[in-house]
Coordinates of all heavy atoms in Angstrom, one line a residue:
M2 N -59.5 -15.3 -10.5 CA -59.1 -14.6 -9.3 C -57.6 -14.7 -9.3 O -57.0 -15.7 -9.4 CB -59.7 -15.3 -8.1 CG -59.3 -14.4 -6.8 SD -59.9 -15.2 -5.3 CE -61.5 -14.6 -5.2
S3 N -56.9 -13.5 -9.1 CA -55.4 -13.5 -9.1 C -54.9 -13.9 -7.7 O -55.6 -13.8 -6.7 CB -54.9 -12.1 -9.5 OG -55.2 -11.2 -8.5
A4 N -53.6 -14.2 -7.7 CA -53.0 -14.5 -6.4 C -52.7 -13.3 -5.5 O -52.7 -13.4 -4.3 CB -51.6 -15.2 -6.7
Q5 N -52.7 -12.1 -6.1 CA -52.5 -10.9 -5.4 C -53.8 -10.3 -5.1 O -54.7 -10.3 -5.9 CB -51.6 -9.9 -6.1 CG -50.2 -10.4 -6.3 CD -49.4 -9.4 -7.1 OE1 -49.9 -8.4 -7.6 NE2 -48.1 -9.6 -7.1
S6 N -54.0 -9.8 -3.8 CA -55.3 -9.2 -3.5 C -55.4 -7.8 -3.9 O -56.5 -7.2 -3.9 CB -55.4 -9.3 -1.9 OG -54.4 -8.5 -1.3
G7 N -54.3 -7.2 -4.4 CA -54.4 -5.8 -4.8 C -54.2 -4.8 -3.7 O -54.1 -3.6 -4.0
D8 N -54.1 -5.2 -2.5 CA -53.9 -4.3 -1.3 C -52.4 -4.2 -1.1 O -51.8 -5.1 -0.5 CB -54.6 -4.9 -0.1 CG -54.5 -3.9 1.1 OD1 -54.1 -2.8 0.9 OD2 -54.9 -4.3 2.2
S9 N -51.8 -3.2 -1.5 CA -50.3 -3.0 -1.4 C -49.9 -2.7 -0.1 O -48.7 -2.7 0.2 CB -49.9 -2.0 -2.5 OG -50.4 -0.7 -2.1
S10 N -50.8 -2.3 0.9 CA -50.3 -2.0 2.2 C -50.0 -3.2 3.0 O -49.3 -3.1 4.1 CB -51.4 -1.1 2.9 OG -52.6 -1.9 3.1
Q11 N -50.5 -4.4 2.7 CA -50.3 -5.6 3.4 C -49.1 -6.4 2.8 O -49.0 -6.4 1.6 CB -51.5 -6.5 3.4 CG -52.7 -5.8 4.2 CD -52.4 -5.6 5.6 OE1 -51.8 -6.5 6.3 NE2 -52.9 -4.5 6.2
P12 N -48.3 -7.0 3.6 CA -47.2 -7.8 3.0 C -47.8 -9.0 2.2 O -48.8 -9.5 2.5 CB -46.4 -8.3 4.2 CG -47.0 -7.7 5.4 CD -48.3 -7.0 5.0
Q13 N -47.0 -9.4 1.2 CA -47.5 -10.5 0.4 C -47.2 -11.9 1.0 O -47.8 -12.9 0.6 CB -46.8 -10.4 -1.0 CG -47.2 -9.1 -1.7 CD -48.6 -9.0 -2.0 OE1 -49.3 -10.0 -2.4 NE2 -49.2 -7.9 -1.8
T14 N -46.1 -12.0 1.8 CA -45.8 -13.3 2.4 C -45.6 -13.2 3.9 O -45.5 -12.0 4.4 CB -44.4 -13.8 1.8 OG1 -43.4 -12.9 2.2 CG2 -44.5 -13.9 0.3
G15 N -45.6 -14.3 4.5 CA -45.3 -14.3 6.0 C -44.0 -13.8 6.4 O -43.9 -13.1 7.4
A16 N -43.0 -14.0 5.5 CA -41.7 -13.5 5.8 C -41.6 -12.0 5.9 O -41.0 -11.3 6.7 CB -40.6 -14.0 4.8
H17 N -42.3 -11.3 5.0 CA -42.4 -9.9 5.0 C -43.1 -9.4 6.2 O -42.7 -8.3 6.8 CB -43.2 -9.4 3.7 CG -42.4 -9.5 2.5 ND1 -42.7 -10.4 1.5 CD2 -41.3 -8.8 2.1 CE1 -41.8 -10.3 0.5 NE2 -40.9 -9.3 0.8
A18 N -44.1 -10.1 6.7 CA -44.8 -9.7 7.9 C -43.9 -9.8 9.1 O -43.9 -8.9 10.0 CB -46.1 -10.6 8.1
V19 N -43.1 -10.8 9.2 CA -42.1 -11.0 10.3 C -41.1 -9.8 10.3 O -40.9 -9.2 11.3 CB -41.4 -12.3 10.2 CG1 -40.3 -12.4 11.2 CG2 -42.4 -13.4 10.5
V20 N -40.6 -9.5 9.1 CA -39.6 -8.4 9.0 C -40.3 -7.1 9.4 O -39.7 -6.2 10.1 CB -39.0 -8.4 7.7 CG1 -38.2 -7.1 7.5 CG2 -38.2 -9.6 7.4
A21 N -41.5 -6.9 8.9 CA -42.2 -5.6 9.2 C -42.5 -5.4 10.7 O -42.5 -4.3 11.2 CB -43.5 -5.5 8.3
N22 N -42.8 -6.5 11.4 CA -43.2 -6.5 12.8 C -42.0 -6.7 13.7 O -42.2 -6.9 14.9 CB -44.3 -7.4 13.1 CG -45.6 -7.1 12.3 OD1 -45.8 -5.9 12.0 ND2 -46.3 -8.1 12.0
A23 N -40.8 -6.8 13.2 CA -39.6 -7.2 14.0 C -39.3 -6.0 14.9 O -39.5 -4.9 14.6 CB -38.4 -7.5 13.1
I24 N -38.8 -6.4 16.1 CA -38.3 -5.4 17.1 C -36.8 -5.6 17.3 O -36.3 -6.6 16.9 CB -39.1 -5.6 18.4 CG1 -38.8 -7.0 19.0 CG2 -40.5 -5.3 18.3 CD1 -39.3 -7.1 20.5
D25 N -36.2 -4.6 17.8 CA -34.8 -4.6 18.0 C -34.5 -5.7 19.1 O -35.0 -5.5 20.2 CB -34.3 -3.3 18.4 CG -32.8 -3.2 18.5 OD1 -32.1 -4.2 18.3 OD2 -32.3 -2.1 18.9
P26 N -33.7 -6.7 18.9 CA -33.4 -7.7 19.9 C -32.8 -7.2 21.1 O -32.9 -7.7 22.2 CB -32.6 -8.7 19.2 CG -32.7 -8.5 17.8 CD -33.1 -7.1 17.6
A27 N -32.0 -6.1 21.0 CA -31.3 -5.5 22.1 C -32.3 -4.8 23.1 O -32.0 -4.6 24.2 CB -30.3 -4.5 21.7
R28 N -33.5 -4.5 22.6 CA -34.5 -3.9 23.5 C -35.6 -4.8 24.0 O -36.5 -4.4 24.7 CB -35.2 -2.7 22.7 CG -34.1 -1.8 22.1 CD -34.7 -0.4 22.0 NE -33.8 0.5 21.4 CZ -32.9 1.2 22.1 NH1 -32.8 1.1 23.4 NH2 -32.1 2.1 21.5
R29 N -35.4 -6.1 23.7 CA -36.4 -7.1 24.2 C -36.3 -7.2 25.7 O -35.2 -7.3 26.2 CB -36.2 -8.4 23.6 CG -36.7 -8.5 22.1 CD -36.5 -9.8 21.5 NE -36.6 -10.9 22.4 CZ -36.1 -12.1 22.1 NH1 -35.6 -12.4 20.9 NH2 -36.2 -13.1 22.9
P30 N -37.4 -7.2 26.5 CA -37.2 -7.3 27.9 C -36.8 -8.7 28.4 O -36.3 -8.8 29.5 CB -38.7 -7.0 28.4 CG -39.6 -7.3 27.3 CD -38.7 -7.0 26.1
D31 N -37.0 -9.7 27.6 CA -36.6 -11.1 28.1 C -35.2 -11.4 27.8 O -34.8 -12.5 28.0 CB -37.6 -12.1 27.4 CG -37.5 -12.1 25.9 OD1 -37.1 -11.1 25.4 OD2 -37.8 -13.1 25.3
V32 N -34.4 -10.5 27.2 CA -33.0 -10.8 26.9 C -32.1 -10.3 28.1 O -32.2 -9.1 28.3 CB -32.6 -10.2 25.6 CG1 -31.1 -10.4 25.3 CG2 -33.4 -10.8 24.5
L33 N -31.4 -11.1 28.8 CA -30.6 -10.7 29.9 C -29.2 -10.5 29.4 O -28.7 -11.1 28.5 CB -30.6 -11.8 31.0 CG -32.0 -12.1 31.6 CD1 -31.9 -13.3 32.6 CD2 -32.6 -10.9 32.3
L34 N -28.5 -9.6 30.2 CA -27.1 -9.4 30.0 C -26.7 -8.9 28.6 O -25.6 -9.1 28.1 CB -26.3 -10.6 30.3 CG -26.5 -11.2 31.7 CD1 -25.7 -12.5 31.9 CD2 -26.1 -10.2 32.8
R35 N -27.6 -8.2 27.9 CA -27.3 -7.7 26.6 C -27.2 -6.2 26.7 O -28.0 -5.5 27.3 CB -28.4 -8.0 25.6 CG -28.0 -7.5 24.2 CD -29.0 -8.0 23.2 NE -28.9 -9.5 23.1 CZ -29.5 -10.2 22.2 NH1 -30.3 -9.6 21.3 NH2 -29.4 -11.5 22.2
V36 N -26.0 -5.7 26.2 CA -25.8 -4.3 26.3 C -25.7 -3.7 25.0 O -25.1 -4.2 24.1 CB -24.4 -4.0 27.0 CG1 -24.1 -2.6 27.1 CG2 -24.4 -4.7 28.4
R37 N -26.5 -2.6 24.8 CA -26.5 -1.9 23.5 C -25.5 -0.8 23.6 O -25.6 0.1 24.4 CB -27.9 -1.3 23.2 CG -28.0 -0.7 21.9 CD -29.4 -0.2 21.6 NE -29.6 0.3 20.4 CZ -29.9 -0.3 19.3 NH1 -30.1 -1.6 19.4 NH2 -30.0 0.3 18.1
R38 N -24.4 -0.9 22.8 CA -23.4 0.1 22.8 C -23.5 1.1 21.7 O -24.1 0.8 20.6 CB -22.0 -0.6 22.7 CG -21.8 -1.6 23.8 CD -20.4 -2.1 23.8 NE -20.2 -3.3 24.6 CZ -20.2 -3.4 25.9 NH1 -20.4 -2.3 26.6 NH2 -20.0 -4.6 26.5
D39 N -23.0 2.3 21.9 CA -22.9 3.3 20.8 C -22.0 2.8 19.7 O -21.1 2.0 19.9 CB -22.5 4.6 21.4 CG -23.5 5.2 22.3 OD1 -24.7 4.9 22.2 OD2 -23.1 6.0 23.2
E40 N -22.2 3.5 18.6 CA -21.3 3.1 17.4 C -19.9 3.5 17.8 O -19.6 4.6 18.3 CB -21.8 4.0 16.2 CG -21.0 3.6 14.9 CD -21.4 2.3 14.4 OE1 -22.5 1.8 14.6 OE2 -20.5 1.7 13.7
G41 N -18.9 2.6 17.5 CA -17.5 2.8 17.8 C -17.1 2.5 19.2 O -16.0 2.6 19.6
H42 N -18.1 1.9 20.0 CA -17.7 1.5 21.4 C -17.9 0.0 21.6 O -18.4 -0.5 22.6 CB -18.6 2.3 22.4 CG -18.3 3.7 22.5 ND1 -18.7 4.7 21.7 CD2 -17.5 4.3 23.4 CE1 -18.3 5.8 22.0 NE2 -17.5 5.7 23.1
E43 N -17.5 -0.7 20.6 CA -17.6 -2.2 20.7 C -16.5 -2.7 21.6 O -15.5 -2.1 21.8 CB -17.5 -2.8 19.3 CG -18.6 -2.6 18.3 CD -18.6 -1.3 17.6 OE1 -17.5 -0.6 17.7 OE2 -19.6 -0.9 17.0
I44 N -16.9 -3.9 22.2 CA -15.9 -4.5 23.1 C -14.7 -5.0 22.3 O -14.8 -5.4 21.2 CB -16.6 -5.7 23.8 CG1 -15.8 -6.2 25.0 CG2 -17.0 -6.8 22.9 CD1 -16.5 -7.1 25.9
S45 N -13.5 -4.9 23.0 CA -12.3 -5.4 22.4 C -12.3 -6.9 22.2 O -12.7 -7.6 23.1 CB -11.1 -4.9 23.2 OG -9.9 -5.4 22.7
A46 N -11.7 -7.4 21.1 CA -11.6 -8.8 20.9 C -10.7 -9.4 22.0 O -10.8 -10.6 22.3 CB -11.1 -9.1 19.5
W47 N -9.8 -8.7 22.5 CA -8.9 -9.2 23.6 C -9.6 -9.6 24.8 O -9.2 -10.5 25.5 CB -7.8 -8.2 23.9 CG -6.8 -8.0 22.8 CD1 -6.7 -7.0 21.9 CD2 -5.8 -9.0 22.3 NE1 -5.7 -7.2 21.0 CE2 -5.2 -8.5 21.2 CE3 -5.5 -10.3 22.7 CZ2 -4.2 -9.2 20.5 CZ3 -4.5 -11.0 22.1 CH2 -3.9 -10.4 21.0
W48 N -10.8 -9.0 25.1 CA -11.5 -9.5 26.3 C -12.1 -10.9 26.0 O -12.1 -11.7 26.9 CB -12.7 -8.5 26.5 CG -12.3 -7.3 27.2 CD1 -12.2 -6.0 26.7 CD2 -11.9 -7.2 28.6 NE1 -11.7 -5.1 27.6 CE2 -11.6 -5.8 28.8 CE3 -11.8 -8.0 29.6 CZ2 -11.1 -5.3 30.0 CZ3 -11.4 -7.6 30.9 CH2 -11.0 -6.2 31.0
M49 N -12.5 -11.2 24.8 CA -13.0 -12.5 24.5 C -11.9 -13.5 24.5 O -12.0 -14.6 24.9 CB -13.7 -12.5 23.1 CG -14.9 -11.6 23.0 SD -16.2 -12.3 24.1 CE -16.3 -11.1 25.4
I50 N -10.7 -13.1 24.0 CA -9.6 -14.0 24.0 C -9.1 -14.3 25.4 O -8.9 -15.5 25.8 CB -8.4 -13.4 23.2 CG1 -8.8 -13.3 21.7 CG2 -7.1 -14.2 23.3 CD1 -7.9 -12.5 20.8
G51 N -9.1 -13.3 26.2 CA -8.7 -13.5 27.6 C -9.7 -14.4 28.4 O -9.4 -15.2 29.2
A52 N -11.0 -14.2 28.1 CA -12.1 -15.0 28.7 C -11.9 -16.5 28.3 O -12.0 -17.4 29.1 CB -13.4 -14.5 28.3
F53 N -11.6 -16.7 27.0 CA -11.4 -18.1 26.6 C -10.2 -18.7 27.3 O -10.3 -19.9 27.7 CB -11.2 -18.1 25.1 CG -10.8 -19.4 24.5 CD1 -11.8 -20.4 24.3 CD2 -9.5 -19.7 24.2 CE1 -11.4 -21.6 23.8 CE2 -9.1 -21.0 23.7 CZ -10.1 -21.9 23.5
V54 N -9.1 -18.0 27.4 CA -7.9 -18.5 28.0 C -8.2 -18.8 29.5 O -7.8 -19.8 30.1 CB -6.7 -17.5 27.8 CG1 -5.5 -17.9 28.7 CG2 -6.3 -17.5 26.4
G55 N -8.9 -17.8 30.2 CA -9.2 -18.0 31.6 C -10.1 -19.2 31.9 O -9.9 -20.0 32.8
V56 N -11.1 -19.4 31.1 CA -12.0 -20.5 31.2 C -11.3 -21.8 30.9 O -11.5 -22.8 31.6 CB -13.3 -20.3 30.4 CG1 -14.1 -21.6 30.3 CG2 -14.2 -19.2 30.9
S57 N -10.5 -21.8 29.9 CA -9.7 -23.0 29.6 C -8.8 -23.4 30.7 O -8.7 -24.6 31.1 CB -8.9 -22.8 28.3 OG -9.8 -22.5 27.2
A58 N -8.1 -22.4 31.3 CA -7.2 -22.7 32.4 C -8.0 -23.2 33.6 O -7.5 -24.1 34.3 CB -6.4 -21.4 32.8
A59 N -9.2 -22.6 33.9 CA -10.0 -23.1 35.0 C -10.4 -24.5 34.8 O -10.4 -25.3 35.7 CB -11.2 -22.2 35.2
V60 N -10.8 -24.9 33.6 CA -11.3 -26.3 33.3 C -10.1 -27.2 33.5 O -10.2 -28.3 34.1 CB -11.9 -26.3 31.9 CG1 -12.1 -27.8 31.4 CG2 -13.2 -25.6 31.8
I61 N -8.9 -26.9 33.0 CA -7.8 -27.7 33.1 C -7.4 -27.9 34.6 O -7.1 -29.0 35.0 CB -6.6 -27.2 32.3 CG1 -6.9 -27.3 30.8 CG2 -5.3 -27.9 32.6 CD1 -6.0 -26.6 29.9
L62 N -7.5 -26.8 35.3 CA -7.2 -26.9 36.8 C -8.2 -27.8 37.5 O -7.7 -28.6 38.3 CB -7.2 -25.5 37.4 CG -6.9 -25.4 38.9 CD1 -5.5 -25.8 39.2 CD2 -7.2 -24.0 39.4
L63 N -9.4 -27.6 37.2 CA -10.4 -28.5 37.9 C -10.3 -29.9 37.4 O -10.6 -30.8 38.2 CB -11.8 -27.9 37.5 CG -12.2 -26.6 38.2 CD1 -13.5 -26.1 37.7 CD2 -12.2 -26.7 39.7
L64 N -10.0 -30.2 36.2 CA -9.8 -31.6 35.7 C -8.6 -32.2 36.3 O -8.6 -33.5 36.4 CB -9.8 -31.6 34.2 CG -11.1 -31.4 33.5 CD1 -10.9 -31.4 32.0 CD2 -12.1 -32.4 33.9
S65 N -7.7 -31.4 36.8 CA -6.5 -32.0 37.4 C -6.8 -32.7 38.8 O -6.0 -33.5 39.3 CB -5.4 -31.0 37.6 OG -5.7 -30.0 38.5
F66 N -7.9 -32.3 39.3 CA -8.4 -32.9 40.6 C -9.2 -34.2 40.4 O -9.5 -34.8 41.4 CB -9.2 -31.9 41.4 CG -8.4 -30.7 41.9 CD1 -8.7 -29.4 41.4 CD2 -7.4 -30.8 42.8 CE1 -7.9 -28.3 41.8 CE2 -6.7 -29.7 43.3 CZ -7.0 -28.5 42.7
V67 N -9.5 -34.5 39.2 CA -10.2 -35.8 39.0 C -9.3 -36.9 39.1 O -8.3 -37.0 38.4 CB -10.9 -35.7 37.6 CG1 -11.6 -37.1 37.3 CG2 -11.9 -34.6 37.5
P68 N -9.6 -37.9 39.9 CA -8.7 -39.1 40.1 C -8.8 -40.0 38.9 O -9.8 -40.1 38.2 CB -9.2 -39.7 41.3 CG -10.6 -39.3 41.5 CD -10.7 -38.0 40.9
G69 N -7.6 -40.7 38.6 CA -7.6 -41.6 37.5 C -7.3 -41.0 36.2 O -7.3 -41.7 35.2
G70 N -6.9 -39.8 36.2 CA -6.5 -39.1 34.9 C -5.1 -39.6 34.5 O -4.4 -40.3 35.2
A71 N -4.8 -39.3 33.3 CA -3.5 -39.7 32.7 C -2.4 -38.9 33.3 O -2.4 -37.8 33.7 CB -3.5 -39.5 31.2

């Protein structure tokens, strides 16, 4: 008996089955705050840089209220 069943319509491994049955993650109902943008309408990297700077400043500001700091 050979390892292949001869049925070419079925995937040979579990990995192929996962890829064949995969759905677009942006269309999953359980994913919150995910926006599917059109081609060429990606978010600017400067928004991510600004968010990092803003969160870092907020953390430093809040840590300045902790007593016993250096």
